[in-house]
Amino acid sequence: QVQLVESGGNLVQPGGSLRLSCAASGSMFSFVAMGWYREAPGKQRELVAGISAPGTPNYIDSVKGRFTISRDNAKNTMYLQMDSLKPEDTAVYYCNKVRPWDYWGQGTQVTVSA
């Protein structure tokens, strides 16, 4: 079964940057659309950015221009470069397929605060 391990979260000041990584096992990684999700306190989990198997990205409006999703299929790894971070970006960030979902990993905490 596929395993997903997120890393790279941290406490940063507003305007700062972080680079998240998602290490995925399984032979199907290179052939499926993947996404970064986040769950903020008191809010529903949402898809923040998605990327097709070949690497075409899509973003929700609130992160467009600030976040960059990418993937290295040879390494079974996906990334999320986050710049100009805002307090409202504070959440636990997860990676997974767009649909259907595999089992969720533990996520990585991103906290944006002064």
Side-chain angles (χ1 to χ4, degrees):
Q1 186 177 353
V2 64
Q3 289 187 340
L4 301 166
V5 181
E6 302 90 348
S7 63
N10 213 331
L11 170 65
V12 297
Q13 295 189 178
S17 297
L18 286 173
R19 183 176 175 85
L20 308 184
S21 297
C22 169
S25 66
S27 60
M28 295 302 297
F29 174 83
S30 298
F31 309 104
V32 298
M34 296 287 293
W36 283 98
Y37 301 77
R38 68 185 180 188
E39 185 173 350
K43 296 184 178 180
Q44 295 294 314
R45 182 176 53 207
E46 65 175 346
L47 178 66
V48 176
I51 186 167
S52 69
T56 302
N58 292 103
Y59 308 91
I60 59 173
D61 288 341
S62 62
V63 308
K64 198 170 298 181
R66 300 188 299 118
F67 290 9
T68 303
I69 187 172
S70 62
R71 66 193 297 166
D72 187 337
N73 289 339
K75 297 180 179 179
N76 287 351
T77 304
M78 183 173 64
Y79 307 95
L80 185 67
Q81 177 67 44
M82 304 185 295
D83 300 317
S84 302
L85 283 163
K86 304 175 180 180
E88 50 262 46
D89 296 318
T90 295
V92 179
Y93 284 72
Y94 303 87
C95 62
N96 213 321
K97 296 186 294 185
V98 174
R99 289 284 173 81
W101 293 325
D102 291 309
Y103 287 117
W104 297 95
Q106 293 183 0
T108 185
Q109 177 72 52
V110 173
T111 302
V112 186
S113 176

